């Protein structure tokens, strides 16, 4: 263990975060996301698991180290509810609160249709899968600069 680094941040995750540059994207997802399949197509090329951890806790730990991009209007994207794109799942507001608190400002989040989200995830740097049961716990964070 290292001082000051949340134990949720395992060695593989911190390695991936350190490799990322400005504008690179990180997917944070629940256990229902086809993460293993999509992760093969990312820049990192493999799935990063944070087993035993939910989305809220993982987002809090990651966003202590990971600045969000301030050069884009919506540095965070989430998956829409299939068949009801206006629907709001509880995890959406939970993660919004975590993001706003970490950035100390309101941050816009864009909703993407399911398959558009999967395509965006394929173009991300890496995918981090939590043990969160979901549903719709799928988010993409765009990295900024410190």
């Amino acid at each position: 263990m290292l001082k000051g680094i949340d134990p949720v941040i395992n060695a593989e995750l911190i390695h991936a975060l350190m490799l990322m540059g400005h504008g690179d994207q990180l997917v944070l997802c629940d256990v229902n996301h086809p993460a293993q399949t999509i992760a093969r197509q990312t820049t990192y090329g493999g799935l990063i698991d944070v087993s035993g951890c939910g989305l809220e806790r993982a987002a809090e730990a990651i966003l202590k180290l990971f600045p969000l991009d301030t050069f884009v209007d919506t540095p965070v994207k989430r998956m829409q509810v299939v068949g009801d794109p206006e629907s709001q799942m509880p995890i959406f507001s939970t993660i919004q609160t975590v993001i706003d608190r970490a950035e100390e400002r309101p941050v816009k989040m864009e909703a993407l249709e399911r398959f558009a989200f999967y395509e965006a995830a394929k173009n991300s740097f890496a995918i981090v899968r939590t043990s969160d049961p979901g549903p719709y716990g799928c988010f993409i964070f765009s990295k900024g600069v410190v």
Side-chain angles (χ1 to χ4, degrees):
M1 298 307 304
L2 298 173
K3 290 181 180 182
I5 297 178
D6 193 307
V8 167
I9 307 293
N10 61 38
E12 186 175 16
L13 178 52
I14 199 161
H15 176 71
L17 294 175
M18 293 290 295
L19 290 173
M20 293 176 71
H22 180 236
D24 281 338
Q25 296 183 322
L26 181 74
V27 176
L28 182 64
C29 66
D30 62 31
V31 295
N32 298 301
H33 188 272
Q36 183 66 43
T37 301
I38 293 175
R40 291 185 196 116
Q41 298 173 62
T42 65
T43 303
Y44 191 72
L47 181 62
I48 302 167
D49 265 313
V50 287
S51 299
C53 181
L55 283 160
E56 182 177 10
R57 178 89 167 82
E60 288 171 345
I62 289 167
L63 292 172
K64 285 180 184 173
L65 305 174
F66 187 100
L68 290 176
D69 197 342
T70 57
F71 297 151
V72 296
D73 290 333
T74 54
V76 180
K77 300 186 180 3
R78 66 164 175 82
M79 187 184 294
Q80 289 177 347
V81 175
V82 174
D84 190 4
E86 300 304 315
S87 182
Q88 294 293 309
M89 302 301 288
I91 194 63
F92 299 163
S93 62
T94 298
I95 297 301
Q96 184 71 61
T97 299
V98 170
I99 292 163
D100 292 350
R101 187 173 41 237
E103 289 291 304
E104 299 179 336
R105 64 182 173 87
V107 175
K108 290 183 183 177
M109 187 184 306
E110 178 183 1
L112 298 176
E113 180 274 333
R114 176 184 171 203
F115 292 106
F117 187 94
Y118 290 164
E119 285 304 310
K122 290 175 188 176
N123 293 316
S124 71
F125 186 89
I127 297 183
V128 177
R129 180 175 57 195
T130 68
S131 295
D132 201 289
Y136 294 99
C138 303
F139 301 88
I140 300 174
F141 300 138
S142 293
K143 189 174 183 187
V145 295
V146 179

